[in-house]
Amino acid sequence: QVQLEESGGGTVQAGGSLRLSCALSGFTFNRYCLGWFRQRPGDKRWALARIDSDGVPMYLDSAKGRFTIALDSAKNILHLQMSDLKPEDTATYICAAEAGGCGAFALHTLGYSHWGRGTQVSVSS
């Protein structure tokens, strides 16, 4: 059974940094796609970044330059390093996984079958 569990969220002042982690268990596919999303209250879930099994990252404009996605394949932990955080980054951050590689919907919720429950990030001004 595939399970994803996020950690690393918290409250930080504007301009600060956080590193989120997503522990993957039961995920033993050779080809896969892993992504980070965020969701603000009352809003839809938006993609931030994804990384494929070749280690190639891709970012949406909202994440470019400030966020970095990376996979520690030895530990099966997906990270999202966030810097220069802004109050508008306040949201629940959620990781996702899909077997078979990154497809056309890798930066959309439709591209993933497996989801974590999220970790809350709050950025104060």
Side-chain angles (χ1 to χ4, degrees):
Q1 182 180 357
V2 177
Q3 290 186 321
L4 292 76
E5 184 172 1
E6 302 90 341
S7 62
T11 300
V12 63
Q13 287 190 330
S17 300
L18 278 175
R19 189 175 80 155
L20 306 183
S21 299
C22 172
L24 300 141
S25 59
F27 197 78
T28 57
F29 305 99
N30 290 329
R31 305 292 299 171
Y32 51 81
C33 191
L34 304 173
W36 279 102
F37 290 72
R38 69 183 178 190
Q39 187 168 20
R40 301 183 181 95
D43 196 6
K44 61 181 283 188
R45 191 170 293 184
W46 292 94
L48 293 167
R50 66 79 166 157
I51 188 166
D52 64 19
S53 41
D54 292 322
V56 178
M58 186 176 290
Y59 300 90
L60 280 185
D61 287 346
S62 56
K64 284 181 182 176
R66 297 190 299 126
F67 294 180
T68 302
I69 188 170
L71 175 65
D72 182 342
S73 55
K75 296 181 180 178
N76 256 14
I77 299 177
L78 178 70
H79 294 290
L80 184 69
Q81 178 69 46
M82 306 187 294
S83 62
D84 191 23
L85 284 163
K86 306 175 188 302
E88 52 264 40
D89 294 317
T90 295
T92 299
Y93 286 71
I94 306 151
C95 60
E98 179 66 13
C102 291
F105 292 101
L107 289 172
H108 192 280
T109 54
L110 292 175
Y112 299 90
S113 301
H114 308 285
W115 294 88
R117 300 181 70 174
T119 185
Q120 178 66 37
V121 172
S122 298
V123 184
S124 60
S125 57

